[in-house]
Amino acid sequence: MSKVYEMCNDVDSKEILAKKEQMTLEERKRLLESMKREGVISEKGKRNHRGKIGKTVGWAAAAAVLLVVIIPNVSAEAAYAMEQIPILGSVIKAVTIREYQYESENLSADIQKVQLEQSGGTENLKTQESITTINETIEEMTNRLIERFEEQVEAGEDHRGIYVDHEVVTDTDTWFTLRMNVTEVAGSGAQYQYYYHIDKTTGEIASLKNLFQEGADFVTPISENIKEQMREAMAEDEMKIYWIDSEEDMGFQFEAIKEEQNFYLNDKGQIVICFDEYEVAPGYMGLVEFTVDEEAVAGILK
């Protein structure tokens, strides 16, 4: 079985919450009420995937539009060439197989359990192996979140919520990316994401380093480019703060991305580096992203 690549934080979400800014009981209650007012969740607690709450919580859920192009009347040579492309004619789609929901006066949950499926054209064995591995990983992750929430319910903990949805952020002839969005409200509010990538040209699960030439140092140029963008953003807007260049001992300074940093490819094929809430900035900044300047990595891309 393929190696599992969870494009996510390298610590469990419970550890993430333990390190966040603590909120009082009243603050937790206000946050849940605010989510309901803004439409992120309904009054009955169900996650409204079209709602949002600015930088604090929520995403706009997006539907993936999949297009299969059929090329008729190809020559024998062209037909043979297409047979060598393992994914041609195949489609990867994300399907919600179950939605776990819970609602009480002080507790709320809406967790999508999703799995990937391959359809259309000839099924590719390697792609199916990757899909199976990713599905197992997502299943383990969502089960862990549900189990922890149910433990909180049983313990009688107050003003907690968890919301999980998904979005296909990239789907081209050569690349597929699924993003799982998680919002937890507990001792603090926290947003984080899991990314799962499949390189359709090989059918294999992919990570950031797969975009670059073997042995290339991609961490340094990407990190320096992001720090440059951070400095420019802070100079233009005093409300934007990133944890770099600080003379104070904050216990953390952003120095470099991880080798398996969260990322996706946008509609222009550019690399977008993603950071979870509190990863490189204060909580009010929410989830932050940086589109890497193409010139910064031009010489090392595959």
Side-chain angles (χ1 to χ4, degrees):
M1 183 172 290
S2 303
K3 179 181 177 182
V4 178
Y5 288 94
E6 266 194 74
M7 299 299 104
C8 61
N9 295 312
D10 53 7
V11 292
D12 186 87
S13 55
K14 183 184 293 185
E15 295 178 49
I16 296 174
L17 289 177
K19 297 176 182 177
K20 306 311 180 190
E21 301 166 358
Q22 296 298 305
M23 295 194 298
T24 66
L25 186 63
E26 183 62 29
E27 287 172 331
R28 297 182 209 169
K29 185 175 180 180
R30 286 203 304 268
L31 182 54
L32 282 172
E33 290 302 315
S34 179
M35 292 171 74
K36 291 179 180 179
R37 286 198 306 273
E38 296 295 333
V40 176
I41 55 175
S42 70
E43 289 302 318
K44 294 182 178 181
K46 183 175 181 180
R47 177 72 184 269
N48 180 353
H49 301 301
R50 293 187 179 182
K52 57 183 179 180
I53 188 171
K55 294 180 178 178
T56 307
V57 268
W59 301 271
V65 180
L66 306 177
L67 176 64
V68 177
V69 179
I70 301 174
I71 306 174
N73 302 320
V74 295
S75 67
E77 291 80 2
Y80 174 79
M82 285 190 291
E83 288 176 359
Q84 309 314 304
I85 304 175
I87 198 61
L88 188 63
S90 295
V91 168
I92 303 172
K93 59 182 179 180
V95 178
T96 301
I97 58 173
R98 180 192 171 200
E99 195 161 6
Y100 173 89
Q101 295 177 343
Y102 182 95
E103 175 68 11
S104 68
E105 183 178 356
N106 297 320
L107 295 162
S108 179
D110 188 354
I111 299 175
Q112 289 184 4
K113 299 192 77 172
V114 65
Q115 69 178 20
L116 299 181
E117 295 180 357
Q118 182 181 189
S119 63
T122 303
E123 186 174 285
N124 177 257
L125 181 58
K126 188 61 181 178
T127 300
Q128 190 56 50
E129 289 178 357
S130 296
I131 286 174
T132 299
T133 298
I134 289 173
N135 287 344
E136 290 173 353
T137 304
I138 294 174
E139 176 78 6
E140 188 278 330
M141 181 267 290
T142 52
N143 284 346
R144 184 177 70 245
L145 294 177
I146 291 171
E147 181 180 353
R148 185 164 72 244
F149 177 76
E150 290 180 340
E151 289 174 354
Q152 294 167 351
V153 173
E154 187 175 348
E157 298 186 28
D158 288 335
H159 302 293
R160 292 178 180 269
I162 181 166
Y163 312 96
V164 181
D165 62 15
H166 72 277
E167 180 179 355
V168 175
V169 293
T170 307
D171 186 21
T172 69
D173 290 341
T174 59
W175 197 270
F176 177 89
T177 296
L178 172 72
R179 177 170 66 206
M180 300 292 294
N181 304 308
V182 183
T183 300
E184 290 198 65
V185 180
S188 67
Q191 298 177 77
Y192 52 99
Q193 299 172 323
Y194 296 82
Y195 283 79
Y196 305 91
H197 311 276
I198 294 179
D199 183 343
K200 289 186 177 183
T201 64
T202 64
E204 295 185 348
I205 296 173
S207 61
L208 184 59
K209 67 180 179 181
N210 295 125
L211 300 175
F212 300 94
Q213 299 168 20
E214 187 171 355
D217 174 15
F218 60 91
V219 170
T220 300
I222 290 178
S223 301
E224 292 305 312
N225 181 247
I226 287 174
K227 285 190 280 190
E228 181 180 343
Q229 292 186 50
M230 287 177 172
R231 294 182 184 107
E232 291 176 354
M234 289 190 293
E236 294 174 359
D237 185 349
E238 63 181 11
M239 293 302 294
K240 291 186 177 181
I241 296 176
Y242 297 103
W243 291 331
I244 58 169
D245 303 334
S246 176
E247 296 180 359
E248 300 179 12
D249 183 11
M250 301 174 60
F252 174 81
Q253 290 268 20
F254 172 65
E255 297 292 342
I257 64 168
K258 300 185 289 287
E259 280 201 1
E260 293 187 350
Q261 184 71 43
N262 281 346
F263 81 100
Y264 65 90
L265 303 176
N266 64 19
D267 56 3
K268 297 181 180 179
Q270 297 169 302
I271 300 170
V272 181
I273 298 295
C274 312
F275 295 100
D276 291 336
E277 188 178 12
Y278 298 96
E279 192 172 359
V280 295
Y284 77 86
M285 293 283 287
L287 300 162
V288 294
E289 299 180 347
F290 295 90
T291 300
V292 178
D293 289 344
E294 295 177 354
E295 293 183 358
V297 293
I300 57 175
L301 285 169
K302 284 185 177 178

